[in-house]
Amino acid sequence: MKKSGIQFIGAIILMFALSATSIAQTNFEKDFSALHKKAIMTCGMIKQPKLHQQAEMLQGLKELHTQLKTVEKNYLDQPPEAYASDPLWKSYFVEFNDVIDALQSRVEKGNYKVAAMNCSHICMVYYKIHAVNVRLDLTDKMFLWISQVTMTNNMVNAANYPGAEKNLKKMRTLYKNVIEAKKVANNPEFDKQFTTIDKLYTNWLKDLENHKYQDASDTFNTFKAAFGKVFVMSLM
């Protein structure tokens, strides 16, 4: 009876320990996702300088930096269990800070176009963290997909049609990964908004396959303009 009591208490302690670990991991993912969302929204302003004041962009970057410092304070020396074995853990925060500093410097100088080119580096760091630690999510797969679609369209604009055609297989694989991750995420509101860019992507592919390259470029511009909103929603 005494032994059974000790075993029961041990089981309770283990249960609470596992629960605490799970909560810590969940809290981190929420904080990390919120940081990513803030970065994307801030970069959205930088990419549309005609619609936003410089002061507004700089305020967004200031808030992003403050948010990063909070995440850094909470997790830099105590990484969540899923990332605890990664020797590169602390270097990721160095990379985040470096990107934000570069963005701020360029925005202060009014070099919005150059600053916008740096925005993708934030998503690249997120992708690296998740890929190294086997944590790829819907947002990462959306990022890989849009990157490859953009690359293919750039080939079209450069009249590298054979290269664009060759790239279609890789792009279709990345699109398939997005669809699979979308099912796992099970977010009805995201699915609803995704339908819009899905149709544009399909039309873009048809234009490419039919060698209507100017139409493809026009469709891509519409697709990319609509992609941002859906991309942010993938973080919810």
Side-chain angles (χ1 to χ4, degrees):
M1 187 75 175
K2 191 173 182 179
K3 184 178 179 181
S4 298
I6 293 173
Q7 290 176 335
F8 177 73
I9 293 172
I12 293 295
I13 292 173
L14 178 61
M15 182 181 71
F16 276 109
L18 292 173
S19 177
T21 300
S22 177
I23 291 171
Q25 183 68 39
T26 300
N27 288 341
F28 168 75
E29 296 297 351
K30 286 182 178 179
D31 292 343
F32 210 41
S33 181
L35 178 67
H36 198 177
K37 184 176 181 179
K38 179 63 178 179
I40 292 171
M41 294 179 72
T42 303
C43 278
M45 290 192 291
I46 296 172
K47 291 177 180 179
Q48 295 182 304
K50 293 182 180 180
L51 301 179
H52 302 277
Q53 298 295 319
Q54 183 186 58
E56 189 180 0
M57 300 177 205
L58 290 173
Q59 179 61 30
L61 287 169
K62 181 180 179 181
E63 292 171 359
L64 177 61
H65 196 264
T66 298
Q67 202 166 329
L68 173 60
K69 285 299 179 185
T70 300
V71 174
E72 193 171 353
K73 178 182 177 181
N74 292 336
Y75 304 105
L76 181 66
D77 294 318
Q78 293 181 315
E81 187 177 12
Y83 303 90
S85 299
D86 186 357
L88 296 174
W89 177 251
K90 291 187 177 181
S91 72
Y92 300 136
F93 291 92
V94 175
E95 290 187 66
F96 280 132
N97 277 293
D98 188 54
V99 176
I100 295 173
D101 288 344
L103 286 171
Q104 183 170 338
S105 175
R106 285 160 174 75
V107 170
E108 286 174 346
K109 295 175 183 177
N111 294 334
Y112 305 123
K113 189 172 182 179
V114 178
M117 292 169 64
N118 281 269
C119 281
S120 63
H121 293 173
I122 293 176
C123 291
M124 288 172 66
V125 177
Y126 267 92
Y127 168 73
K128 180 165 69 171
I129 294 170
H130 288 154
V132 168
N133 293 282
V134 201
R135 306 286 296 182
L136 287 181
D137 57 19
L138 175 59
T139 306
D140 296 317
K141 293 175 182 179
M142 289 276 285
F143 171 68
L144 291 177
W145 178 44
I146 187 63
S147 298
Q148 202 59 231
V149 172
T150 302
M151 174 65 74
T152 305
N153 200 74
N154 288 342
M155 290 176 176
V156 171
N157 292 338
N160 179 12
Y161 306 129
E165 297 277 348
K166 189 176 180 180
N167 221 37
L168 292 180
K169 183 177 179 180
K170 184 186 295 184
M171 201 170 53
R172 286 193 173 97
T173 298
L174 294 173
Y175 169 76
K176 182 181 177 182
N177 292 342
V178 169
I179 297 302
E180 291 174 351
K182 186 170 76 73
K183 291 177 181 177
V184 173
N186 191 27
N187 184 336
E189 187 58 34
F190 172 84
D191 293 343
K192 181 180 178 181
Q193 295 298 325
F194 185 85
T195 301
T196 301
I197 61 171
D198 200 17
K199 288 179 180 177
L200 289 168
Y201 171 71
T202 300
N203 291 337
W204 178 74
L205 272 179
K206 287 180 180 177
D207 290 337
L208 279 184
E209 291 167 345
N210 293 323
H211 308 294
K212 296 180 179 179
Y213 300 120
Q214 184 56 56
D215 290 344
S217 290
D218 293 341
T219 303
F220 169 79
N221 291 334
T222 306
F223 166 80
K224 192 169 184 179
F227 186 90
K229 178 181 178 182
V230 185
F231 186 54
V232 171
M233 289 185 67
S234 71
L235 286 160
M236 295 179 180

